[in-house]
Amino acid sequence: MTREAEWEKELVRTVADEVRRYRNKRRLSAQQLSERCREIGYDIPRSVLANLESYRRKSVSLAELLVLAEALEVPPVLLISRFGQTDLIEILPDRSVHPWHAIEWVSGDKQLPESEHENRSSFGLIYSFKLFLKHLDRFDRAVKYWQAIKKREIKRRETETVAQHIRDLANAEDDVHLSREAVRNAEWFLRSRAEQAGTIPEALTSYLPDRVDRYDILQERAEQYEMFEDRR
């Protein structure tokens, strides 16, 4: 058996082991897993699953891998990485890495350790898009918190309560402004990586400006403070 064939055989065995492990963890019979696959829209008969888990099946198609992952409620990469089961996995012929490095590579976050390729633009694009979404989520949460503080009822005669409310509102406003700037910086970073990779996602150019700029906090600040000062 050639080295390439040995690597392919081991990779299929890895998928088989992980399918069996997650199936047992989900307390599914092979028949139940087969039915889940059929419901998703891709038929994987019970006999095929049995042959896979007993190593009689010599190959796994990409379609089967994706459907099995969805049926087992796990990311597809976990079916090939043995994450949590070993310290090394041969993700490519004669390229053994920690399972976490395999996950980062498959998900597009980083290249494999000691990669010979110099072009990192595609990996940078995926990382920068995740960073952009992270900051956008923080911005949305900051706005919701600021809006929640605005709706609080303040007792007219409790000066300290009113003063604390003003401080909370000011802190919330600052957080909104800071997170908005973080979103804009992340957008710039994403655009630069996208240009290096030769493409700019359409979604990026369509919804960011309105989503960030529709909260005109500065226009309301004076009015809000004046209202609270009148209650003191």
Side-chain angles (χ1 to χ4, degrees):
M1 181 181 294
T2 65
R3 183 69 191 88
E4 292 86 352
E6 290 179 359
W7 170 75
E8 183 179 9
K9 178 181 178 180
E10 182 59 31
L11 188 60
V12 174
R13 288 173 68 98
T14 294
V15 174
D17 290 343
E18 294 303 281
V19 167
R20 184 191 311 108
R21 187 167 72 87
Y22 282 108
R23 180 176 64 76
N24 292 332
K25 187 175 182 179
R26 302 288 186 264
R27 298 182 179 179
L28 296 171
S29 66
Q31 181 60 40
Q32 289 173 321
L33 179 56
S34 175
E35 291 171 357
R36 281 194 176 190
C37 293
R38 190 177 302 111
E39 291 172 357
I40 291 171
Y42 192 87
D43 188 22
I44 302 180
R46 179 188 177 282
S47 58
V48 172
L49 294 173
N51 288 334
L52 176 63
E53 292 187 9
S54 61
Y55 305 146
R56 293 192 296 272
R57 189 103 184 284
K58 304 304 180 184
S59 64
V60 178
S61 70
L62 178 59
E64 290 170 336
L65 179 70
L66 297 178
V67 171
L68 283 170
E70 176 64 15
L72 292 167
E73 301 175 357
V74 298
V77 67
L78 290 186
L79 297 183
I80 66 174
S81 65
R82 291 191 188 275
F83 187 70
Q85 310 300 308
T86 182
D87 291 334
L88 284 176
I89 179 173
E90 191 176 6
I91 193 64
L92 291 173
D94 297 321
R95 292 286 298 277
S96 295
V97 299
H98 190 278
W100 180 246
H101 291 150
I103 290 174
E104 289 182 320
W105 177 59
V106 173
S107 63
D109 287 334
K110 293 182 180 179
Q111 291 182 301
L112 287 173
E114 301 179 1
S115 175
E116 297 178 358
H117 300 288
E118 294 296 331
N119 185 3
R120 297 180 173 84
S121 59
S122 296
F123 290 90
L125 175 61
I126 295 173
Y127 167 78
S128 59
F129 190 67
K130 290 181 177 180
L131 183 67
F132 166 72
L133 293 179
K134 175 182 177 181
H135 284 298
L136 192 60
D137 177 67
R138 181 196 165 194
F139 171 73
D140 282 341
R141 286 187 281 110
V143 169
K144 289 178 181 178
Y145 180 64
W146 168 71
Q147 291 173 332
I149 291 180
K150 283 178 57 180
K151 293 179 181 179
R152 288 180 185 172
E153 293 185 2
I154 304 300
K155 296 181 180 179
R156 293 178 180 273
R157 296 183 180 180
E158 295 184 5
T159 303
E160 182 58 34
T161 301
V162 174
Q164 183 60 50
H165 185 277
I166 294 175
R167 288 193 295 268
D168 290 345
L169 185 61
N171 290 335
E173 290 172 354
D174 289 341
D175 194 31
V176 170
H177 286 297
L178 288 174
S179 60
R180 180 169 58 183
E181 287 306 307
V183 169
R184 286 172 171 162
N185 290 335
E187 180 202 11
W188 175 87
F189 182 60
L190 175 55
R191 285 183 184 277
S192 66
R193 292 299 180 270
E195 289 173 357
Q196 291 177 18
T199 180
I200 297 179
E202 288 186 16
L204 176 62
T205 61
S206 62
Y207 78 120
L208 175 65
D210 290 341
R211 190 171 181 181
V212 174
D213 294 333
R214 68 175 182 234
Y215 304 107
D216 196 351
I217 298 173
L218 289 176
Q219 291 184 1
E220 297 188 22
R221 175 174 293 186
E223 179 182 344
Q224 291 289 327
Y225 280 16
E226 181 179 351
M227 177 184 68
F228 290 127
E229 289 295 331
D230 289 343
R231 290 183 177 181
R232 294 183 60 176

